[in-house]
């Protein structure tokens, strides 16, 4: 059979396959290694994966690539980002170096609200123009699919503007984008001291408008087919002095009624029971988990909710405390990694850097970090059936890595080992 692209002689071909569900426990150390591997691709899909001798006997191709000395692995899925925003917060970086904490800056009217002001003032075209280079940087670092949250609008009009920016960016053939609505990301200044009323606004005005936007966008021919069939999630920042457990429950429950599956920012600084809330609501993921107590880790392990940890945040905030991802894997949590790229807590586009931090400070093995950044990350955005592993029938999103052993991805840091990126069967870098 003739295919479009055949990559062969990969010193290691790393599949990260896990039939039908995310990896847990011992399976996390298995990256599905094929030595001297090959992959055949047609119409943007993977047709076959196996030893070079077998795949080359079965297929000829319009384009062939000799990957001797390199590894081939799935494109990274970044399942938690705030990459659409205007401006920056480099001043807060200095404030933190001088001793202010992230939450102190937020409570003093900076933080998320400062990015809200810049984002409200930007046009949708400006948001797209500021975000596109960040997505291209992420692509060059190996990220082929990105979840993107709203949450810098904090009014209905700007939340929709952020979704429009995501839809415009999604027309690129370079990456797939998965949108998440997080109107309950912070309380905007005009609702200061009236959090419950702001939650009412999120539920009664924003959510119906967002659901309507989703319906209209899906039925427009300009919408990328991936975005048109992708889920739209609803998220909330469940945190002391932001949204409490009850308010978070109201937002996510209302989101579910509008057909938006739940995600949650839980236990970043204070434990408010966000993980058990996520599990009760069947959330696809619970993210941060820096101070989640062992009993809730245990519950998470028994659930289908993916735990997403974001160690670039701890690193960026200069904290020596990290989510206990080691204990989570050992307990059986389906664990994923993400950058959380945003202008405040993590101005970091790099999944390989996140893996490098996770290995050093959270004691993940490189194999665990890689599975957490591919197949489990795909499940954290509800797309494990389509993305995140190299197996026949999946979308052909993969990387050629300039190293002979996958462990180099986390062992080396600060550079870029990604040599080429294939998105839906096409070389895009
Ligand atoms: O995931 N913690 C809340 N939200 C983001 C930070 C966003 C920001 O600081 O702009 C996070 O860390
Ligand atoms: Fe976040």
């Amino acid at each position: 059979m003739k295919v479009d692209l055949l990559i062969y002689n990969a010193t290691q071909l790393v599949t990260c396959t896990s039939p039908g569900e995310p990896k847990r426990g011992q399976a996390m150390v298995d990256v599905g290694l094929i030595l001297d591997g090959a992959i055949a691709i047609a119409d943007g899909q993977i047709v076959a994966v196996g030893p070079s001798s077998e795949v080359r006997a079965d297929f000829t191709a319009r384009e062939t690539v000799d990957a001797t000395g390199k590894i081939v692995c799935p494109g990274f899925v970044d399942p938690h980002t705030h990459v659409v925003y205007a401006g920056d917060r480099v001043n807060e970086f200095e404030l933190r170096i001088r001793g202010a904490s992230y939450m102190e800056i937020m409570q003093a009217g900076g933080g998320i609200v400062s990015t809200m002001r810049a984002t409200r003032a930007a046009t949708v075209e400006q948001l797209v123009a500021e975000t596109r280079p960040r997505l291209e940087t992420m692509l060059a670092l190996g990220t082929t699919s990105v979840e993107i949250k709203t949450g810098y609008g904090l009014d209905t009009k700007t939340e929709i503007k952020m979704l429009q920016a995501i839809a415009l960016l999604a027309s690129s053939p370079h990456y797939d984008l998965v949108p998440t609505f997080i109107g309950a990301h912070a309380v905007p200044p005009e609702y200061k001291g009236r959090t419950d009323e702001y939650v009412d606004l999120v539920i009664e005005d924003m959510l119906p408008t967002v659901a309507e936007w989703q319906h209209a966008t899906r039925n427009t021919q300009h919408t990328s087919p991936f975005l048109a069939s992708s889920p739209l999630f609803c998220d909330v920042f469940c945190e002391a002095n932001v949204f409490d457990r009850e308010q978070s429950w109201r937002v996510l429950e209302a989101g579910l009624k509008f057909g938006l599956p739940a995600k949650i920012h839980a236990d970043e600084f204070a434990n408010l029971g966000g993980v058990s809330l996520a599990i009760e609501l069947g959330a696809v993921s619970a993210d941060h988990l820096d101070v989640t107590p062992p009993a809730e880790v245990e519950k998470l392990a028994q659930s289908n909710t993916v735990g997403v940890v974001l160690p670039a945040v701890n690193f960026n905030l200069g904290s020596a405390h990290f989510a206990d991802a080691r204990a989570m894997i050992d307990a059986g949590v389906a664990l994923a990694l993400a950058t959380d790229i945003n202008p405040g807590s993590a101005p970091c586009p790099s999944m390989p850097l996140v893996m490098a931090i996770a290995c050093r400070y959270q004691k993940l093995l490189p194999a665990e970090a890689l599975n957490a950044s591919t197949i489990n990350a795909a499940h954290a955005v509800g797309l494990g059936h389509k993305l995140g592993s190299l197996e026949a029938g999946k979308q052909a999103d993969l990387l050629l890595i300039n190293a002979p052993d996958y462990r180099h991805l986390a062992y080396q840091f600060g550079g870029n080992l990604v040599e080429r990126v294939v998105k839906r069967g096409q070389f895009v870098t």
Side-chain angles (χ1 to χ4, degrees), residues 21-291:
E21 48 185 40
K23 285 180 181 265
R24 296 170 192 268
Q26 261 312 105
M28 287 291 278
V29 293
D30 177 7
V31 289
L33 197 61
I34 301 173
L35 299 179
D36 191 3
I39 183 163
I41 295 160
D43 299 323
Q45 302 283 112
I46 299 169
V47 177
V49 178
S52 290
S53 54
E54 288 176 20
V55 178
R56 290 185 84 186
D58 291 346
F59 298 94
T60 57
R62 281 197 290 117
E63 185 180 1
T64 55
V65 174
D66 181 346
T68 302
K70 303 185 197 312
I71 74 162
V72 170
C73 72
F76 306 130
V77 177
D78 192 340
H80 181 142
T81 88
H82 307 255
V83 72
V84 170
Y85 59 85
D88 64 53
R89 305 228 296 272
V90 70
N91 59 324
E92 294 181 7
F93 177 51
E94 281 198 336
L95 290 176
R96 282 198 308 274
I97 292 169
R98 291 178 191 278
S101 75
Y102 177 83
M103 286 309 280
E104 280 164 5
I105 293 169
M106 183 168 176
Q107 279 166 275
I112 293 169
V113 163
S114 140
T115 301
M116 174 211 79
R117 285 190 208 97
T119 303
R120 283 184 181 177
T123 63
V124 67
E125 292 78 15
Q126 284 166 339
L127 282 179
V128 167
E130 289 195 37
T131 304
R132 204 188 301 277
R134 292 193 278 266
L135 288 171
E136 290 296 329
T137 302
M138 293 164 79
L139 182 74
L141 290 159
T143 301
T144 47
S145 300
V146 185
E147 184 260 15
I148 306 183
K149 301 179 199 294
T150 66
Y152 292 127
L154 311 182
D155 62 24
T156 307
K157 191 175 92 198
T158 318
E159 288 294 308
I160 294 292
K161 183 170 74 184
M162 292 190 72
L163 287 170
Q164 285 166 342
I166 295 170
L168 287 170
L169 290 159
S171 66
S172 166
H174 290 186
Y175 28 73
D176 287 313
L177 306 180
V178 180
T180 294
F181 164 68
I182 180 167
H185 193 203
V187 178
E190 61 272 22
Y191 279 87
K192 200 170 165 61
R194 298 188 293 138
T195 305
D196 278 319
E197 285 172 53
Y198 182 65
V199 170
D200 291 342
L201 178 81
V202 171
I203 292 171
E204 287 159 21
D205 194 59
M206 290 189 198
L207 266 171
T209 313
V210 165
E212 215 171 280
W213 174 88
Q214 183 190 29
H215 183 73
T217 308
R218 281 190 166 163
N219 294 317
T220 307
Q221 64 195 43
H222 306 297
T223 304
S224 83
F226 186 93
L227 187 73
S229 66
S230 150
L232 167 63
F233 294 102
C234 181
D235 198 340
V236 61
F237 189 12
C238 180
E239 184 58 55
N241 300 313
V242 192
F243 299 100
D244 65 22
R245 195 180 191 278
E246 169 71 19
Q247 290 156 343
S248 302
W249 181 84
R250 286 181 59 208
V251 169
L252 296 182
E253 171 85 359
L256 288 175
K257 289 206 180 109
F258 281 101
L260 275 58
K263 281 179 163 279
I264 192 167
H265 283 64
D267 300 338
E268 182 177 359
F269 301 104
N271 169 237
L272 305 187
V275 168
S276 58
L277 174 61
I279 297 166
E280 266 169 50
L281 295 176
V284 68
S285 76
D287 304 29
H288 283 287
L289 313 178
D290 296 287
V291 296

